[in-house]
């Protein structure tokens, strides 16, 4: 076919597999060729193969071979031996390709990943340890043979049926590694696939094994789930199967809490609409959308949720902390949740607008507005309801006027105060700088050296 890359010399395949070969990029073909020239079996496997068959862009490239990691390091000088699971990473033009020696897994303990890994000898046994049939496909060959699709578990048919199904007995596979249940709902959202009924039933039965998983592994899947077009597909499955309750009791408790928003819908439905409405390319906003009303179930009283923003900020930080999100992410989400209830009125003074800017800081403010837009949509309102557009314009005006938001915008700094007023480093110096910021937020005209030094001196005498 015109326009498609021509397969490498060793990758000529039969008619039906030709479209697969044509979608494998040159660098991947080149890595397969290096392995095969050395007399090794070599395959593209897992999610990357699944995605190219579906016509999606793969997130990462996984290759499998019978060559041992030591051999891979000599075949690919500069390759990095990544972990104890036999994976070697090869860089080509800034892209990372992971080559994993065939494995068979052993000694699953505590419902987590295997304790010990044994190298395998065939692609079939390597595929057998993988989680879902659509992830247990391989494309490649043993040395001397023609590359073909290896599909021992009916993965291709499940791709066509858009269905996730565990390889082998679902209950056993989830008992080996409980993360597979979270991966199932994540993949269902990402690929917009259904989960086959026996696999889904096994998740519902064993959901509580998720509590044995590390927060990091859950967070990794949650992160990918939230990047789906419609995260609600996976989140609703989490709620329905009981996975959500293992991860966050507070979010699971949103089910059934009445909301006077969209007729017939509860608080969980509102959260789902809000997450889907949040911009896909703004991961912080999506994450915040998920937890923005996490404080509502515990503050619900007579149809009001007084203080749910402050309570929610703490609960959100607690949840993200347990999931080991980075500190800055936790703080940002907490800040947004605590501030998501502002109610803008056209009567707000410019000072009020500047105070909001100062409280949030510029990047967080953009996220707060995006969150409120999603929250409006999630409440069945127009995106700019509650004067959001006007507020956005007024914020832009203030920012254009170069309003001072923090110490870095003041025309004096700590050194000036030390030099001019004989102050020393310490909390008094810090508090004076903060009060000067406050003055300038109120009235930008005060951001002038003599004025600020005079004010600082006055503050100093007050403090004494
Ligand atoms: P993504 O599109 O996010 O990369 P993926 O399915 O490729 O999704 P990876 O984490 O890259 O996910 O894993 C690559 C492959 O390794 C999977 O497709 C699957 O075959 C296998 N795999 C990953 N995690 C597990 C697991 N917990 N249990 C069994 N097999 C797994
Ligand atoms: Mg992958």
């Amino acid at each position: 076919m015109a326009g498609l890359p021509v397969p490498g010399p060793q990758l000529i395949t039969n008619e039906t597999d030709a479209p697969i070969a044509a979608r494998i990029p040159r660098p991947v073909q080149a890595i397969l060729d290096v392995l095969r020239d050395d007399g090794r079996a070599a395959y593209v496997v897992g999610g990357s193969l699944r995605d190219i068959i579906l016509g999606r862009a793969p997130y990462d490239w996984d290759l499998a071979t019978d060559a041992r990691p030591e051999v891979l390091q000599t075949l690919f000088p500069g390759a990095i031996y990544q972990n104890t699971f036999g994976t070697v990473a090869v860089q080509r033009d800034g892209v990372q390709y992971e080559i994993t020696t065939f494995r068979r897994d052993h000694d699953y303990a505590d419902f987590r990943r295997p304790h010990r890994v044994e190298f395998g000898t065939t692609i079939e046994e390597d595929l057998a340890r993988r989680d879902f049939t659509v992830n247990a496909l391989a494309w490649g060959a043993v040395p001397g043979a023609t590359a073909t699709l290896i599909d021992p578990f009916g993965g291709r048919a499940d791709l066509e049926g858009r269905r996730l199904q565990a390889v082998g007995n679902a209950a056993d596979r989830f008992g080996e590694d409980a993360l597979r249940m979270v991966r199932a709902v994540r993949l269902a959202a990402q690929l917009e696939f259904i989960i086959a009924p026996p696999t889904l039933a096994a998740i519902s039965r064993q959901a509580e094994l998720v509590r044995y998983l590390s927060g990091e592994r859950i967070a990794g899947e949650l992160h990918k789930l939230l990047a789906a077009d419609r995260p609600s597909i996976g989140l609703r499955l989490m709620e329905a199967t009981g996975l959500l309750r293992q991860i966050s009791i507070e979010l699971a408790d949103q089910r059934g809490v009445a909301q006077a928003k969209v007729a017939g819908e509860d608080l969980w439905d509102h959260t789902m609409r809000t997450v889907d409405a949040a911009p896909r390319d703004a991961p912080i906003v999506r994450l915040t959308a998920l937890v923005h009303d996490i404080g509502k179930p515990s503050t619900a009283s007579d149809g009001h949720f007084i203080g749910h923003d402050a309570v929610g900020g703490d609960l959100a930080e607690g949840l993200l902390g347990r999931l080991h999100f980075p500190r800055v992410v936790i703080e940002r989400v907490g800040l947004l949740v605590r501030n998501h209830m502002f109610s803008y009125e056209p009567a707000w003074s410019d000072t009020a607008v500047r105070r909001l800017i100062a409280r949030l800081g510029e990047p967080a403010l953009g996220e707060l507005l995006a969150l409120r837009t999603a929250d409006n949509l999630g409440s069945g309102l127009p995106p700019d309801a509650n004067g959001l557009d006007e507020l956005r314009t007024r914020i832009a005006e203030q920012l254009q006027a170069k309003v001072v938001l923090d110490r870095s915008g003041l025309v004096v700094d700590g050194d000036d105060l030390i030099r001019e007023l004989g102050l020393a480093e310490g909390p008094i110096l810090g508090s004076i700088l903060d009060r000067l910021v406050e003055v300038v937020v109120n009235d930008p005209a005060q951001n002038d050296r003599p004025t600020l030094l005079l004010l600082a001196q006055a503050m100093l005498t007050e403090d004494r």
Side-chain angles (χ1 to χ4, degrees):
M1 273 205 299
L4 287 174
V6 181
Q10 301 209 10
L11 300 174
I12 310 294
T13 65
N14 64 39
E15 282 286 308
T16 47
D17 293 343
I20 299 178
R23 288 177 185 173
I24 296 176
R26 286 232 162 254
V28 176
Q29 303 218 21
I31 293 172
L32 292 173
D33 285 347
V34 169
L35 290 164
R36 288 161 55 83
D37 287 346
D38 197 58
R40 314 287 172 172
Y43 302 86
V44 175
V45 285
S48 40
L49 183 58
R50 174 198 72 213
D51 288 345
I52 58 170
I53 295 175
L54 287 171
R56 296 169 56 93
Y59 177 83
D60 48 19
W61 286 93
D62 293 303
L63 295 95
T65 177
D66 57 357
R68 294 295 173 92
E70 317 81 74
V71 175
L72 291 173
Q73 281 175 297
T74 61
L75 288 178
F76 301 99
I80 304 156
Y81 194 4
Q82 276 198 314
N83 54 31
T84 52
F85 296 101
T87 302
V88 168
V90 174
Q91 300 271 352
R92 289 275 185 280
D93 297 327
V95 180
Q96 184 153 302
Y97 303 91
E98 299 200 341
I99 313 174
T100 307
T101 307
F102 294 155
R103 285 156 44 175
R104 56 177 100 94
D105 291 343
H106 267 279
D107 288 356
Y108 283 93
D110 317 330
F111 320 108
R112 282 178 277 207
R113 17 170 139 233
H115 265 190
R116 180 163 66 85
V117 160
E118 217 169 76
F119 294 126
T121 49
T122 67
I123 184 68
E124 284 79 11
E125 62 187 346
D126 185 82
L127 294 177
R129 70 170 176 90
R130 293 174 184 268
D131 48 7
F132 303 104
T133 63
V134 297
N135 285 346
L137 290 162
W139 190 87
V142 293
T146 302
T148 52
L149 187 70
I150 316 288
D151 179 15
F153 304 104
R156 182 129 208 194
D158 282 342
L159 276 181
E160 270 151 29
R162 307 186 71 80
R163 185 166 56 226
L164 287 164
Q165 186 149 212
V167 170
N169 179 277
D172 293 348
R173 305 310 309 284
F174 298 151
E176 289 167 358
D177 181 359
L179 191 74
R180 291 170 185 157
M181 298 188 282
V182 187
R183 285 176 54 84
V185 299
R186 181 268 280 192
L187 288 164
Q190 193 179 328
L191 305 173
E192 305 204 353
F193 276 26
I194 61 149
I195 300 180
T199 299
L200 190 63
I203 298 176
S204 296
R205 275 197 307 273
Q206 300 186 93
E208 65 173 47
L209 297 183
V210 161
R211 71 187 139 102
Y212 296 99
L213 296 172
S214 71
E216 287 92 338
R217 291 185 84 204
I218 296 173
E221 295 300 326
L222 191 58
H223 191 80
K224 288 183 174 176
L225 195 167
L226 288 172
D229 262 342
R230 283 168 55 210
S232 65
I233 296 172
L235 293 167
R236 283 187 183 280
L237 284 166
M238 285 185 108
E239 193 279 322
T241 53
L243 289 174
L244 184 67
R245 185 159 293 278
Q246 300 304 320
I247 296 166
S248 168
I249 292 168
E250 299 89 354
L251 286 180
D253 280 347
Q254 291 192 334
R255 184 37 109 209
V257 173
Q259 277 271 264
K261 294 196 167 180
V262 178
E265 296 197 354
D266 64 14
L267 177 57
W268 176 245
D269 295 321
H270 164 67
T271 298
M272 293 302 88
R273 281 180 183 270
T274 307
V275 173
D276 284 355
R280 197 185 162 182
D281 59 0
I284 295 279
V285 181
R286 277 256 166 116
L287 185 59
T288 310
L290 176 64
V291 296
H292 78 287
D293 279 345
I294 194 172
K296 276 189 173 173
S298 61
T299 55
S301 157
D302 289 338
H304 295 282
F305 307 97
I306 293 162
H308 83 269
D309 38 3
V311 171
D314 291 349
L315 291 176
E317 289 190 347
L319 170 61
L320 301 187
R322 290 199 300 282
L323 296 178
H324 298 279
F325 275 87
R327 192 74 244 158
V328 284
V329 171
I330 297 173
E331 282 166 9
R332 174 62 59 82
V333 173
L335 178 74
L336 293 170
V337 172
R338 286 189 187 91
N339 286 284
H340 85 276
M341 288 302 289
F342 68 87
S343 52
Y344 173 73
E345 304 281 342
W348 272 23
S349 64
D350 285 347
T351 300
V353 175
R354 285 196 293 266
R355 273 185 203 288
L356 186 69
I357 300 174
R359 194 159 71 237
L360 271 297
E362 215 176 317
L365 190 61
E367 289 163 352
L368 186 67
L369 293 174
L371 175 70
R372 277 295 286 268
T373 305
D375 199 356
N376 281 341
L377 289 166
S379 306
L381 299 170
D384 60 347
N386 302 310
L388 272 197
D389 272 0
E390 186 178 306
L391 176 60
R392 200 175 270 113
T393 309
R394 291 189 61 190
I395 288 169
E397 277 166 17
Q398 292 301 322
L399 291 174
Q400 238 156 20
K402 296 226 174 350
V403 295
V404 171
L405 304 175
D406 57 29
R407 291 181 191 179
S408 69
L410 293 178
V411 294
V412 297
D413 62 12
D415 286 343
D416 291 322
L417 299 187
I418 291 169
R419 207 172 37 244
E420 306 280 339
L421 303 178
L423 269 166
E425 297 265 10
I428 295 182
L429 180 63
S431 100
I432 289 183
L433 285 167
D434 286 342
R435 285 157 71 187
L436 293 179
V437 171
E438 184 68 7
V439 166
V440 176
V441 166
N442 274 318
D443 180 4
Q446 309 268 322
N447 196 15
D448 154 75
R449 276 180 71 84
T451 308
L452 292 186
L453 286 171
L454 197 61
L455 285 170
Q457 192 178 40
M459 290 170 187
L460 199 57
T461 42
E462 277 166 29
D463 280 349
R464 277 184 182 142

